[in-house]
Amino acid sequence: MATVAELGTNCIDDVTHDKIKDVGRTVPVDSVSIQLSVEKKMFLKKLCIFSFVSPLDIKTKFYNSETSDLFLEVQIQNISSSTVFINKVSLQPPEIYEVEELNTVKQDGEDECTFGTRTFLQSAEGRQYLYHLHIKPEYSEKVGTIRGRMEMGKLDVIWKRNLGEIALLQTIQLEREATGYENLKLSLEEIPDTVILEEPFRITCKITNYSDKKMKLVLKLCDRDSVRWCGISRKYLGKLLPSASLCFTLTLLPLKLGLQSISGIRVKDKLLKKTYYYDDVANVCVVPSMVKMQS
Protein backbone atom coordinates (compact mmCIF):
# COMPACT_ATOMS: atom_id res chain seq x y z
CA MET A 1 0.00 0.00 0.00
CA ALA A 2 1.44 3.37 -1.06
CA THR A 3 1.65 6.14 1.57
CA VAL A 4 1.75 9.88 0.77
CA ALA A 5 3.05 11.89 3.73
CA GLU A 6 1.78 15.29 2.66
CA LEU A 7 -0.81 16.62 0.18
CA GLY A 8 -0.07 19.99 -1.34
CA THR A 9 -2.55 22.47 -2.77
CA ASN A 10 -2.29 20.99 -6.23
CA CYS A 11 -3.88 17.71 -7.34
CA ILE A 12 -1.69 14.66 -7.04
CA ASP A 13 -2.26 11.67 -9.30
CA ASP A 14 -1.14 8.45 -7.70
CA VAL A 15 -1.19 5.47 -10.09
CA THR A 16 -1.52 2.02 -8.54
CA HIS A 17 -0.84 -1.28 -10.29
CA ASP A 18 -2.45 -4.62 -9.72
CA LYS A 19 -2.07 -8.01 -11.41
CA ILE A 20 -5.22 -9.70 -12.70
CA LYS A 21 -4.89 -13.43 -12.03
CA ASP A 22 -8.27 -14.76 -13.20
CA VAL A 23 -10.37 -14.19 -16.28
CA GLY A 24 -13.79 -12.69 -15.49
CA ARG A 25 -14.90 -10.23 -12.84
CA THR A 26 -12.20 -8.60 -10.70
CA VAL A 27 -12.92 -6.33 -7.70
CA PRO A 28 -9.79 -4.57 -6.41
CA VAL A 29 -10.22 -2.45 -3.26
CA ASP A 30 -8.58 1.00 -2.90
CA SER A 31 -8.55 2.81 0.43
CA VAL A 32 -7.42 6.28 1.56
CA SER A 33 -6.64 7.24 5.17
CA ILE A 34 -6.26 10.93 6.12
CA GLN A 35 -4.83 12.02 9.50
CA LEU A 36 -6.29 15.48 10.25
CA SER A 37 -4.91 15.66 13.78
CA VAL A 38 -3.77 13.39 16.55
CA GLU A 39 -7.34 12.66 17.62
CA LYS A 40 -9.15 12.88 14.28
CA LYS A 41 -8.71 10.48 11.37
CA MET A 42 -10.74 10.05 8.20
CA PHE A 43 -10.97 6.85 6.17
CA LEU A 44 -12.29 6.26 2.65
CA LYS A 45 -12.69 2.90 0.87
CA LYS A 46 -13.55 2.51 -2.82
CA LEU A 47 -14.52 -0.67 -4.67
CA CYS A 48 -13.51 -0.73 -8.33
CA ILE A 49 -15.14 -3.36 -10.55
CA PHE A 50 -13.37 -4.43 -13.72
CA SER A 51 -14.23 -7.18 -16.21
CA PHE A 52 -11.38 -8.84 -18.05
CA VAL A 53 -12.24 -11.02 -21.05
CA SER A 54 -9.58 -13.22 -22.62
CA PRO A 55 -9.16 -12.96 -26.41
CA LEU A 56 -8.69 -16.75 -26.51
CA ASP A 57 -11.42 -19.36 -26.53
CA ILE A 58 -9.86 -22.54 -25.10
CA LYS A 59 -11.64 -25.90 -25.27
CA THR A 60 -10.32 -29.23 -23.99
CA LYS A 61 -11.47 -32.81 -24.57
CA PHE A 62 -10.19 -36.14 -23.25
CA TYR A 63 -10.17 -39.35 -25.28
CA ASN A 64 -9.87 -42.85 -23.81
CA SER A 65 -7.73 -45.54 -25.41
CA GLU A 66 -8.00 -49.33 -25.23
CA THR A 67 -5.41 -49.23 -22.44
CA SER A 68 -5.38 -46.91 -19.43
CA ASP A 69 -3.78 -44.14 -21.51
CA LEU A 70 -5.53 -40.87 -22.29
CA PHE A 71 -5.27 -38.32 -25.07
CA LEU A 72 -6.00 -34.63 -24.48
CA GLU A 73 -7.01 -32.38 -27.36
CA VAL A 74 -6.71 -28.62 -26.80
CA GLN A 75 -8.40 -26.21 -29.23
CA ILE A 76 -7.34 -22.56 -29.01
CA GLN A 77 -9.10 -19.88 -31.08
CA ASN A 78 -8.56 -16.13 -31.22
CA ILE A 79 -12.04 -14.61 -30.73
CA SER A 80 -10.82 -11.00 -30.63
CA SER A 81 -10.51 -8.58 -33.55
CA SER A 82 -6.73 -8.23 -33.22
CA THR A 83 -3.71 -10.50 -33.46
CA VAL A 84 -2.72 -12.55 -30.41
CA PHE A 85 0.78 -14.00 -29.91
CA ILE A 86 1.03 -17.45 -28.29
CA ASN A 87 4.25 -17.63 -26.29
CA LYS A 88 3.81 -21.08 -24.73
CA VAL A 89 1.25 -23.82 -24.13
CA SER A 90 2.14 -26.38 -21.48
CA LEU A 91 0.31 -29.17 -19.66
CA GLN A 92 0.98 -30.07 -16.03
CA PRO A 93 -0.61 -33.51 -15.44
CA PRO A 94 -1.63 -35.02 -12.08
CA GLU A 95 0.89 -37.05 -10.12
CA ILE A 96 -0.14 -40.46 -11.45
CA TYR A 97 0.33 -39.50 -15.11
CA GLU A 98 3.28 -38.75 -17.37
CA VAL A 99 2.69 -36.54 -20.39
CA GLU A 100 4.09 -36.67 -23.92
CA GLU A 101 3.56 -33.74 -26.28
CA LEU A 102 2.44 -34.72 -29.78
CA ASN A 103 2.93 -31.29 -31.32
CA THR A 104 6.22 -31.82 -33.15
CA VAL A 105 7.32 -33.48 -36.40
CA LYS A 106 10.70 -34.79 -37.52
CA GLN A 107 12.48 -32.49 -39.97
CA ASP A 108 16.06 -33.34 -40.95
CA GLY A 109 16.47 -35.42 -37.81
CA GLU A 110 15.24 -32.66 -35.48
CA ASP A 111 11.92 -32.05 -33.75
CA GLU A 112 10.07 -29.02 -35.08
CA CYS A 113 6.76 -27.57 -33.96
CA THR A 114 3.81 -28.57 -36.15
CA PHE A 115 2.93 -24.87 -36.42
CA GLY A 116 6.41 -23.91 -37.61
CA THR A 117 7.98 -20.72 -36.34
CA ARG A 118 4.69 -18.85 -36.53
CA THR A 119 3.60 -17.87 -33.01
CA PHE A 120 0.62 -15.60 -33.65
CA LEU A 121 -3.08 -16.14 -34.30
CA GLN A 122 -5.05 -13.82 -36.53
CA SER A 123 -8.64 -12.93 -35.67
CA ALA A 124 -10.92 -16.03 -35.77
CA GLU A 125 -7.88 -18.27 -36.39
CA GLY A 126 -7.33 -21.39 -34.29
CA ARG A 127 -4.98 -24.30 -33.73
CA GLN A 128 -4.99 -27.67 -31.99
CA TYR A 129 -2.58 -29.22 -29.50
CA LEU A 130 -2.47 -32.91 -28.62
CA TYR A 131 -1.05 -34.60 -25.52
CA HIS A 132 -0.61 -38.27 -24.59
CA LEU A 133 -1.04 -39.12 -20.89
CA HIS A 134 -0.02 -42.52 -19.61
CA ILE A 135 -0.06 -44.02 -16.13
CA LYS A 136 3.25 -44.22 -14.26
CA PRO A 137 4.28 -47.84 -13.58
CA GLU A 138 3.99 -47.46 -9.82
CA TYR A 139 0.31 -46.46 -10.15
CA SER A 140 -0.71 -49.11 -12.71
CA GLU A 141 -2.38 -51.36 -10.14
CA LYS A 142 -4.41 -48.50 -8.65
CA VAL A 143 -5.86 -47.18 -11.91
CA GLY A 144 -8.80 -49.58 -11.74
CA THR A 145 -9.99 -48.03 -8.45
CA ILE A 146 -10.39 -44.52 -9.91
CA ARG A 147 -14.04 -43.50 -9.95
CA GLY A 148 -16.07 -40.30 -10.34
CA ARG A 149 -14.75 -36.83 -11.08
CA MET A 150 -10.97 -36.54 -11.17
CA GLU A 151 -8.65 -33.54 -11.29
CA MET A 152 -6.40 -33.80 -14.36
CA GLY A 153 -3.86 -31.08 -13.65
CA LYS A 154 -3.82 -27.74 -15.41
CA LEU A 155 -3.13 -26.20 -18.80
CA ASP A 156 -1.07 -22.99 -18.93
CA VAL A 157 -1.34 -20.68 -21.94
CA ILE A 158 1.01 -17.68 -22.06
CA TRP A 159 -0.03 -15.01 -24.58
CA LYS A 160 0.15 -11.30 -25.36
CA ARG A 161 -1.61 -8.93 -27.72
CA ASN A 162 1.37 -6.99 -29.06
CA LEU A 163 5.09 -7.54 -29.33
CA GLY A 164 6.98 -5.88 -26.51
CA GLU A 165 4.10 -6.16 -24.04
CA ILE A 166 4.26 -8.19 -20.84
CA ALA A 167 2.95 -11.70 -21.49
CA LEU A 168 -0.17 -12.84 -19.59
CA LEU A 169 -0.76 -16.28 -18.13
CA GLN A 170 -4.13 -17.98 -18.53
CA THR A 171 -4.61 -21.20 -16.54
CA ILE A 172 -7.27 -23.82 -17.27
CA GLN A 173 -8.00 -26.30 -14.46
CA LEU A 174 -8.66 -29.71 -16.04
CA GLU A 175 -10.97 -32.43 -14.78
CA ARG A 176 -12.81 -35.39 -16.22
CA GLU A 177 -15.31 -38.03 -15.23
CA ALA A 178 -13.17 -41.10 -14.64
CA THR A 179 -14.98 -44.08 -16.07
CA GLY A 180 -12.56 -46.41 -14.34
CA TYR A 181 -12.80 -50.10 -15.09
CA GLU A 182 -15.32 -52.76 -14.40
CA ASN A 183 -14.30 -55.01 -11.56
CA LEU A 184 -13.05 -57.45 -14.20
CA LYS A 185 -11.03 -56.13 -17.14
CA LEU A 186 -10.21 -58.08 -20.29
CA SER A 187 -7.27 -57.23 -22.57
CA LEU A 188 -5.62 -58.98 -25.53
CA GLU A 189 -2.03 -60.09 -25.12
CA GLU A 190 -1.60 -61.68 -28.57
CA ILE A 191 -3.70 -61.44 -31.74
CA PRO A 192 -2.72 -61.65 -35.44
CA ASP A 193 -3.39 -58.70 -37.71
CA THR A 194 -4.24 -60.86 -40.75
CA VAL A 195 -5.80 -64.34 -40.85
CA ILE A 196 -6.81 -66.75 -43.64
CA LEU A 197 -10.42 -67.46 -44.49
CA GLU A 198 -11.71 -70.73 -42.98
CA GLU A 199 -8.41 -71.43 -41.22
CA PRO A 200 -8.35 -71.39 -37.38
CA PHE A 201 -6.27 -68.79 -35.55
CA ARG A 202 -5.53 -68.16 -31.88
CA ILE A 203 -5.69 -65.19 -29.56
CA THR A 204 -4.41 -64.85 -26.00
CA CYS A 205 -6.58 -62.98 -23.50
CA LYS A 206 -5.76 -61.59 -20.07
CA ILE A 207 -8.29 -60.81 -17.36
CA THR A 208 -7.54 -58.81 -14.22
CA ASN A 209 -9.56 -58.61 -11.02
CA TYR A 210 -9.81 -54.93 -9.98
CA SER A 211 -12.29 -55.56 -7.19
CA ASP A 212 -11.49 -56.22 -3.53
CA LYS A 213 -13.12 -59.67 -3.56
CA LYS A 214 -12.12 -63.11 -4.79
CA MET A 215 -13.79 -64.32 -7.99
CA LYS A 216 -14.66 -67.76 -9.33
CA LEU A 217 -14.83 -67.44 -13.11
CA VAL A 218 -16.49 -69.39 -15.91
CA LEU A 219 -15.94 -68.58 -19.60
CA LYS A 220 -18.77 -68.68 -22.15
CA LEU A 221 -18.34 -68.02 -25.90
CA CYS A 222 -21.07 -66.79 -28.25
CA ASP A 223 -20.68 -67.33 -32.01
CA ARG A 224 -21.16 -64.67 -34.71
CA ASP A 225 -21.92 -65.17 -38.39
CA SER A 226 -18.51 -63.88 -39.43
CA VAL A 227 -16.34 -65.55 -36.77
CA ARG A 228 -16.99 -68.81 -34.89
CA TRP A 229 -15.36 -70.00 -31.68
CA CYS A 230 -13.61 -73.39 -31.59
CA GLY A 231 -13.43 -75.40 -28.39
CA ILE A 232 -15.53 -75.87 -25.27
CA SER A 233 -17.82 -73.13 -24.05
CA ARG A 234 -18.69 -72.71 -20.36
CA LYS A 235 -15.09 -73.47 -19.45
CA TYR A 236 -14.04 -73.07 -15.83
CA LEU A 237 -11.16 -70.56 -15.60
CA GLY A 238 -10.51 -70.90 -11.88
CA LYS A 239 -10.32 -68.60 -8.88
CA LEU A 240 -8.96 -65.06 -9.23
CA LEU A 241 -7.77 -63.09 -6.19
CA PRO A 242 -7.99 -59.26 -5.95
CA SER A 243 -5.38 -57.46 -8.14
CA ALA A 244 -4.44 -60.79 -9.74
CA SER A 245 -4.53 -61.73 -13.43
CA LEU A 246 -4.75 -64.86 -15.53
CA CYS A 247 -4.25 -65.60 -19.22
CA PHE A 248 -6.03 -68.07 -21.52
CA THR A 249 -5.86 -68.90 -25.23
CA LEU A 250 -8.89 -69.11 -27.54
CA THR A 251 -9.25 -70.47 -31.07
CA LEU A 252 -11.46 -68.86 -33.71
CA LEU A 253 -12.58 -69.74 -37.24
CA PRO A 254 -13.16 -66.81 -39.68
CA LEU A 255 -16.02 -67.36 -42.15
CA LYS A 256 -16.20 -64.00 -43.96
CA LEU A 257 -13.65 -61.84 -45.77
CA GLY A 258 -12.71 -58.33 -44.75
CA LEU A 259 -12.28 -56.63 -41.39
CA GLN A 260 -14.08 -58.71 -38.77
CA SER A 261 -14.74 -57.96 -35.11
CA ILE A 262 -13.89 -60.26 -32.21
CA SER A 263 -17.01 -60.44 -30.04
CA GLY A 264 -19.04 -62.78 -27.90
CA ILE A 265 -16.78 -63.30 -24.88
CA ARG A 266 -18.70 -63.75 -21.63
CA VAL A 267 -17.12 -64.26 -18.20
CA LYS A 268 -19.34 -65.09 -15.23
CA ASP A 269 -18.37 -64.72 -11.58
CA LYS A 270 -20.11 -67.62 -9.83
CA LEU A 271 -19.62 -66.10 -6.38
CA LEU A 272 -21.36 -62.77 -7.09
CA LYS A 273 -23.60 -64.17 -9.85
CA LYS A 274 -22.50 -61.43 -12.25
CA THR A 275 -21.67 -61.77 -15.95
CA TYR A 276 -19.21 -59.50 -17.78
CA TYR A 277 -19.77 -58.92 -21.51
CA TYR A 278 -16.88 -58.25 -23.92
CA ASP A 279 -17.76 -57.34 -27.52
CA ASP A 280 -15.73 -55.62 -30.25
CA VAL A 281 -12.55 -56.20 -28.28
CA ALA A 282 -10.42 -56.24 -31.46
CA ASN A 283 -10.51 -56.55 -35.26
CA VAL A 284 -8.75 -58.93 -37.64
CA CYS A 285 -8.42 -58.74 -41.41
CA VAL A 286 -9.61 -61.94 -43.10
CA VAL A 287 -8.05 -62.60 -46.51
CA PRO A 288 -8.19 -65.47 -49.07
CA SER A 289 -5.41 -68.03 -48.90
CA MET A 290 -3.87 -66.91 -52.23
CA VAL A 291 -3.45 -63.34 -50.99
CA LYS A 292 -1.73 -64.64 -47.86
CA MET A 293 0.66 -66.81 -49.89
CA GLN A 294 1.65 -63.97 -52.22
CA SER A 295 2.36 -61.65 -49.29
Short mmCIF file of all heavy atoms in Angstrom, two decimals, residues 194-197 199 287-295:
data_model
loop_
_atom_site.label_atom_id
_atom_site.label_comp_id
_atom_site.label_asym_id
_atom_site.label_seq_id
_atom_site.Cartn_x
_atom_site.Cartn_y
_atom_site.Cartn_z
N THR A 194 -3.63 -60.28 -39.55
CA THR A 194 -4.24 -60.86 -40.75
C THR A 194 -4.38 -62.37 -40.57
O THR A 194 -3.45 -63.03 -40.10
CB THR A 194 -3.38 -60.58 -41.99
OG1 THR A 194 -3.18 -59.17 -42.10
CG2 THR A 194 -4.06 -61.07 -43.25
N VAL A 195 -5.55 -62.90 -40.94
CA VAL A 195 -5.80 -64.34 -40.85
C VAL A 195 -6.38 -64.82 -42.18
O VAL A 195 -6.85 -64.03 -43.00
CB VAL A 195 -6.78 -64.66 -39.70
CG1 VAL A 195 -6.19 -64.25 -38.36
CG2 VAL A 195 -8.12 -63.97 -39.91
N ILE A 196 -6.34 -66.16 -42.39
CA ILE A 196 -6.81 -66.75 -43.64
C ILE A 196 -8.23 -67.26 -43.48
O ILE A 196 -8.60 -67.81 -42.44
CB ILE A 196 -5.88 -67.91 -44.06
CG1 ILE A 196 -4.44 -67.40 -44.21
CG2 ILE A 196 -6.35 -68.53 -45.37
CD1 ILE A 196 -3.45 -68.49 -44.50
N LEU A 197 -9.03 -67.03 -44.50
CA LEU A 197 -10.42 -67.46 -44.49
C LEU A 197 -10.53 -68.96 -44.25
O LEU A 197 -9.82 -69.76 -44.87
CB LEU A 197 -11.08 -67.08 -45.82
CG LEU A 197 -12.55 -67.44 -45.98
CD1 LEU A 197 -13.41 -66.62 -45.03
CD2 LEU A 197 -13.00 -67.25 -47.43
N GLU A 199 -9.53 -70.78 -41.90
CA GLU A 199 -8.41 -71.43 -41.22
C GLU A 199 -8.36 -70.93 -39.77
O GLU A 199 -8.37 -69.71 -39.54
CB GLU A 199 -7.09 -71.14 -41.92
CG GLU A 199 -6.93 -71.84 -43.25
CD GLU A 199 -5.51 -71.77 -43.77
OE1 GLU A 199 -4.61 -71.38 -42.99
OE2 GLU A 199 -5.30 -72.08 -44.96
N VAL A 287 -8.41 -62.64 -45.09
CA VAL A 287 -8.05 -62.60 -46.51
C VAL A 287 -8.11 -64.02 -47.09
O VAL A 287 -8.02 -65.01 -46.36
CB VAL A 287 -6.63 -62.03 -46.71
CG1 VAL A 287 -6.56 -60.60 -46.18
CG2 VAL A 287 -5.59 -62.89 -46.01
N PRO A 288 -8.26 -64.14 -48.44
CA PRO A 288 -8.19 -65.47 -49.07
C PRO A 288 -6.80 -66.06 -48.95
O PRO A 288 -5.82 -65.34 -48.75
CB PRO A 288 -8.54 -65.18 -50.54
CG PRO A 288 -9.19 -63.84 -50.53
CD PRO A 288 -8.60 -63.08 -49.40
N SER A 289 -6.70 -67.36 -49.08
CA SER A 289 -5.41 -68.03 -48.90
C SER A 289 -4.40 -67.60 -49.95
O SER A 289 -3.20 -67.50 -49.66
CB SER A 289 -5.61 -69.54 -48.96
OG SER A 289 -6.21 -69.92 -50.19
N MET A 290 -4.80 -67.31 -51.19
CA MET A 290 -3.87 -66.91 -52.23
C MET A 290 -3.22 -65.57 -51.91
O MET A 290 -2.03 -65.37 -52.12
CB MET A 290 -4.58 -66.84 -53.59
CG MET A 290 -4.98 -68.20 -54.15
SD MET A 290 -3.56 -69.25 -54.46
CE MET A 290 -2.70 -68.30 -55.71
N VAL A 291 -3.99 -64.64 -51.37
CA VAL A 291 -3.45 -63.34 -50.99
C VAL A 291 -2.41 -63.52 -49.91
O VAL A 291 -1.34 -62.89 -49.91
CB VAL A 291 -4.57 -62.39 -50.52
CG1 VAL A 291 -4.00 -61.08 -50.00
CG2 VAL A 291 -5.56 -62.15 -51.65
N LYS A 292 -2.66 -64.40 -48.97
CA LYS A 292 -1.73 -64.64 -47.86
C LYS A 292 -0.44 -65.24 -48.39
O LYS A 292 0.67 -64.88 -47.96
CB LYS A 292 -2.39 -65.59 -46.86
CG LYS A 292 -1.58 -65.80 -45.60
CD LYS A 292 -1.58 -64.56 -44.73
CE LYS A 292 -0.86 -64.82 -43.42
NZ LYS A 292 -0.83 -63.64 -42.56
N MET A 293 -0.53 -66.16 -49.35
CA MET A 293 0.66 -66.81 -49.89
C MET A 293 1.54 -65.82 -50.67
O MET A 293 2.76 -65.83 -50.58
CB MET A 293 0.26 -67.98 -50.81
CG MET A 293 -0.36 -69.15 -50.04
SD MET A 293 -1.02 -70.40 -51.13
CE MET A 293 0.45 -70.86 -52.03
N GLN A 294 0.89 -64.93 -51.44
CA GLN A 294 1.65 -63.97 -52.22
C GLN A 294 2.35 -62.94 -51.34
O GLN A 294 3.43 -62.47 -51.65
CB GLN A 294 0.72 -63.26 -53.20
CG GLN A 294 0.20 -64.18 -54.30
CD GLN A 294 -0.82 -63.48 -55.19
OE1 GLN A 294 -1.10 -62.29 -54.98
NE2 GLN A 294 -1.34 -64.20 -56.16
N SER A 295 1.75 -62.62 -50.20
CA SER A 295 2.36 -61.65 -49.29
C SER A 295 3.55 -62.25 -48.55
O SER A 295 4.42 -61.53 -48.11
CB SER A 295 1.32 -61.12 -48.29
OG SER A 295 0.83 -62.19 -47.50
#
